[in-house]
Amino acid sequence: MTEGPDAPLRTAELPPAVRLGALPLRALAVISCAILFLMMTLTFIDVSGRYLFNSPLPALAEIISFMMAGLVFCVLPMVCFREGHVTIDLLDGVVPQRLKRAQGVFINVVAAGAVLFIAWRLWVKAMTHLEFEEATDELYMDIWPFSTGMAILCVLAAVAQLAAAAAYLIGARDDPARASGRAT
Amino acid sequence: MTVALLGFAALLTLSFLRVPIAFSMIIVGFIGMSWSMNLEGALANVGQTAFDAAINYELSVVPLFVLMGNFVTRARLSEELYTASNAFLGHRKGGLAMATIVACGGFSAVCGSSLATAATMSKVAMPSMRRYGYDDGLAAGAIAAGGTLGILIPPSVLLVIYGILTQTNIGKLFAAGVIPGIVGIVFYLMAVRAVITIWPALGPRGDRTDWRGRLLALRDVWGVLTLFVFVMGGIYGGVFSPTEAAGIGAFGAFVFAVARRTMDWRGFYAVLLESAATTAMLFTVLIGALVFANFINFTTFPQTLLDIAANFEDNPWLVLAAILLIYVLLGCVFESLSMILLTVPIFFPLIKELGPGFVPPFWHMITGQAPPMWDLIADVGLGLNATEVAVWFGIVVVVITEISLITPPVGLNVFVLRGVLPDVRTTTIFRGVTAYWIADLFRLTLIVAVPTLSLLLASYVR
């Protein structure tokens, strides 16, 4: 799963306004990293606590499941801005050079629409959580702040995806083939 | 049926236009669902799916194994692995390519990703093979093919996803991957041997290492070994859940990377960021695939497939062969994860339904009855039970995905190598990978025909 381990966030090529706009993305990505590291550490402490001191961390499974959501949605805006999603690039050689920018705008607008759609559905979900005062099983935490947070981060991701579309529009990016995410 | 096929067509069209697969699946899945069900249901489904997929303890195993693989890569454990296998194999004809494959197999035991395995090993193995005048194709092919073992030999991110999709015990799946992985290594070694026999000039002998040197080199791989034994042993023995094992493995790999001073703060952040980004990417694909699968399940498509398959109840191998053919074709186009997410929900019920019919074939053909010999080796003589068929099919799917990773035109592992070795032509790598690809076909046949290979170790996992 290494598609350019040290791939720099390609901000240098963008105008200052966009670069400034990327700041929140970086900040959120740092949060996501912190969550991941914490998740690893907590799991380690939990298991060693269980076997060495016979005292596991309470309700860790529940905490980790919410950390998962934080981990995914905090880094999502940056993934969207970098166009780090999995795509099929089989036709890259066929698409004529002059259409590349239009293609870049198209795919990012469609993607932004999809992300925004998810954000909307999560928001509606969050509102039902609020309305019915749903809480978690073990710690009795309210769920709505989490689902609302997910929805808001998702909106931000859609904005980031639109920013990527804009980058093609103003010519800061010119070929979707140079930004490709791959998994596994 | 028609609706489902239209859905697939729309999905392919959008994806070929280069819309990220995750979003193509969400868009088509949602539209299809509101068509075949109703709008409110479809709307509610998307929100619920996204929420459930994200807030999920079980899935936390994914980022943790990804993180472990990235830390291991950063810790440069790959170098010792290569040195050690080289000490044993390097003096043979084609020995460096053989050493590369064994080292890839070793690295796969601590890394759950094929691309990472290929990328890492290429940095270590390629310069050395070039120094000894190896043919670029043979050398790069060994890395590309050896790298595919990453998703078969546990830990494996793909097997985790398969396990979650099909509700199959991840520990069992991991155990099941070990023997087919070793078979893979052996077959690749035979492929090198075959190539060298035909064209001896492609892979000259390297230096011989004496036994003292070999033992010294072997001592250096203790890091990888410890990590593997601890993590996998913990899962097999039922000491940790897969998630816990992943957390511990990631922590262990982190300690290695720090202790070996191969990671500065920037590297540390890069590892975390890359793992987080990979996770987010996997999750969007996962959410998309779940939405799309929900849509397909609302059509008559799954039932039609089951009906067709029912006609072949006496000969499930034909159905399996058809499925494998579809995988090979899809593998030419799709990236591995999206392929698995798209197809497993459709094919898995089919295979499960046919499970009891899977009697190991060759004896069956010859004698016309269930082979008594198989009853002695394992309890598969009368067909597979539900768990067994799930585990075995998981391994089959992963092996065929491995093949797709080195099949033109997309073969992702080959493109990873292209990125790391810009001076080697893609066609050269594909040419070099051919021998391994043929070996893979033999391995696939063997693993399909002899479920025991996958099920033997899995049966010991609780």
Side-chain angles (χ1 to χ4, degrees):
Chain A
M1 311 222 163
T2 57
E3 193 55 19
D6 306 306
L9 182 58
R10 300 184 311 152
T11 47
E13 70 217 51
L14 298 170
V18 182
R19 231 179 298 170
L20 200 67
L23 267 183
L25 305 192
R26 285 169 184 246
L28 281 170
V30 171
I31 295 177
S32 178
C33 290
I35 292 176
L36 179 58
F37 191 74
L38 195 64
M39 212 157 103
M40 175 188 94
T41 317
L42 283 178
T43 311
F44 178 76
I45 293 175
D46 175 51
V47 178
S48 35
R50 196 175 62 204
Y51 282 99
L52 299 181
F53 311 109
N54 212 5
S55 61
L57 297 175
L60 186 67
E62 193 171 286
I63 296 171
I64 284 192
S65 63
F66 280 88
M67 288 171 80
M68 274 301 293
L71 163 65
V72 170
F73 283 95
C74 282
V75 81
L76 191 62
M78 184 185 268
V79 172
C80 287
F81 184 64
R82 279 185 180 183
E83 300 174 77
H85 295 293
V86 185
T87 50
I88 295 184
D89 47 12
L90 202 57
L91 298 185
D92 275 355
V94 187
V95 179
Q97 203 58 44
R98 61 197 158 81
L99 287 182
K100 293 266 189 203
R101 269 177 64 191
Q103 187 192 21
V105 175
F106 168 74
I107 53 185
N108 280 301
V109 168
V110 173
V115 179
L116 200 60
F117 176 61
I118 298 175
W120 172 45
R121 293 324 302 173
L122 282 173
W123 178 264
V124 173
K125 186 92 197 141
M127 291 305 106
T128 40
H129 286 151
L130 179 61
E131 189 182 340
F132 294 101
E133 293 176 358
E134 286 187 41
T136 62
D137 297 332
E138 282 186 72
L139 297 173
Y140 306 111
M141 295 183 292
D142 283 329
I143 293 182
W144 69 265
F146 295 100
S147 36
T148 314
M150 283 159 73
I152 291 170
L153 286 169
C154 219
V155 171
L156 204 62
V159 174
Q161 194 86 61
L162 274 181
Y168 283 101
L169 208 59
I170 61 172
R173 295 181 192 178
D174 53 12
D175 187 355
R178 296 215 201 116
S180 170
R182 274 164 184 167
T184 319
Chain B
M1 181 80 183
T2 330
V3 183
L5 290 182
L6 274 176
F8 279 115
L11 173 65
L12 277 178
T13 313
L14 271 182
S15 303
F16 272 103
L17 287 173
R18 221 178 196 290
V19 174
I21 298 177
F23 301 137
S24 310
M25 290 193 288
I26 288 173
I27 294 166
V28 177
F30 167 70
I31 295 175
M33 223 184 319
S34 32
W35 176 278
S36 50
M37 191 170 48
N38 56 52
L39 187 63
E40 291 88 69
L43 284 174
N45 190 292
V46 173
Q48 189 67 42
T49 308
F51 183 78
D52 288 346
I55 298 199
N56 191 322
Y57 173 70
E58 224 186 355
L59 280 171
S60 64
V61 65
V62 173
L64 291 174
F65 269 132
V66 171
L67 185 64
M68 173 179 166
N70 286 339
F71 274 137
V72 165
T73 307
R74 189 60 67 161
R76 302 220 194 102
L77 294 172
S78 48
E79 286 164 18
E80 281 85 353
L81 275 172
Y82 184 70
T83 315
S85 40
N86 208 1
F88 282 87
L89 293 163
H91 63 284
R92 292 167 179 275
K93 277 188 182 170
L96 273 74
M98 295 180 178
T100 304
I101 281 163
V102 173
C104 280
F107 195 74
S108 304
V110 281
C111 177
S113 149
S114 285
L115 299 190
T117 305
T120 311
M121 288 313 304
S122 66
K123 285 173 202 148
V124 190
M126 199 66 191
S128 138
M129 282 193 275
R130 284 199 156 158
R131 209 164 43 240
Y132 283 93
Y134 269 59
D135 171 64
D136 273 354
L138 179 71
I143 302 168
T148 65
L149 295 168
I151 49 170
L152 180 60
I153 298 178
S156 155
V157 173
L158 220 53
L159 279 176
V160 166
I161 302 262
Y162 175 89
I164 290 168
L165 272 182
T166 60
Q167 305 285 312
T168 307
N169 183 324
I170 292 170
K172 273 184 185 294
L173 284 169
F174 277 5
V178 175
I179 294 179
I182 294 171
V183 172
I185 295 178
V186 172
F187 276 28
Y188 284 155
L189 293 182
M190 282 159 42
V192 177
R193 192 60 194 263
V195 170
I196 291 302
T197 311
I198 305 173
W199 299 284
L202 296 188
R205 293 174 190 274
D207 301 327
R208 182 182 278 279
T209 315
D210 60 10
W211 274 99
R212 218 182 92 82
R214 287 181 184 178
L215 292 180
L216 277 180
L218 207 56
R219 213 183 53 189
D220 286 340
V221 299
W222 67 274
V224 175
L225 219 63
T226 317
L227 213 52
F228 177 74
V229 167
F230 207 65
V231 171
M232 289 307 131
I235 297 181
Y236 297 155
V239 185
F240 321 130
S241 71
T243 309
E244 291 167 352
I248 288 173
F251 194 86
F254 166 67
V255 171
F256 269 118
V258 172
R260 295 162 60 102
R261 298 173 195 280
T262 48
M263 187 171 67
D264 52 4
W265 279 104
R266 274 189 60 160
F268 175 63
Y269 179 65
V271 165
L272 284 176
L273 181 61
E274 194 201 341
S275 310
T278 305
T279 308
M281 200 163 79
L282 292 174
F283 270 72
T284 34
V285 176
L286 182 69
I287 293 172
L290 290 174
V291 170
F292 191 79
N294 282 338
F295 151 57
I296 293 296
N297 284 333
F298 262 99
T299 65
T300 54
F301 188 71
Q303 191 55 46
T304 314
L305 276 190
L306 278 177
D307 290 345
I308 296 175
N311 296 330
F312 292 94
E313 212 167 324
D314 297 334
N315 207 343
W317 297 99
L318 270 183
V319 179
L320 185 64
I323 290 178
L324 292 183
L325 188 70
I326 295 176
Y327 270 109
V328 172
L329 293 177
L330 282 178
C332 293
V333 181
F334 269 97
E335 169 277 335
S336 51
L337 179 73
S338 8
M339 178 167 89
I340 287 201
L341 287 173
L342 267 182
T343 52
V344 165
I346 298 170
F347 291 143
F348 182 69
L350 219 65
I351 291 293
K352 210 162 180 176
E353 189 83 17
L354 295 170
F358 284 113
V359 180
F362 300 117
W363 287 97
H364 186 72
M365 280 185 238
I366 299 164
T367 60
Q369 59 184 17
M373 199 182 135
W374 285 106
D375 289 330
L376 292 176
I377 297 174
D379 192 22
V380 293
L382 299 171
L384 307 178
N385 70 30
T387 317
E388 287 169 344
V389 87
V391 170
W392 168 66
F393 186 58
I395 300 300
V396 171
V397 165
V398 167
V399 171
I400 203 151
T401 309
E402 286 186 84
I403 298 181
S404 83
L405 284 173
I406 51 172
T407 308
V410 180
L412 278 186
N413 259 18
V414 171
F415 285 96
V416 168
L417 282 192
R418 269 285 289 153
V420 188
L421 312 164
D423 53 330
V424 184
R425 294 169 49 131
T426 310
T427 43
T428 309
I429 308 180
F430 274 126
R431 173 174 57 75
V433 108
T434 314
Y436 306 101
W437 193 83
I438 296 170
D440 265 346
L441 290 189
F442 282 111
R443 171 162 58 123
L444 179 67
T445 315
L446 190 67
I447 283 161
V448 168
V450 190
T452 316
L453 286 178
S454 315
L455 299 175
L456 193 62
L457 284 182
S459 62
Y460 294 109
V461 178
R462 272 178 291 160

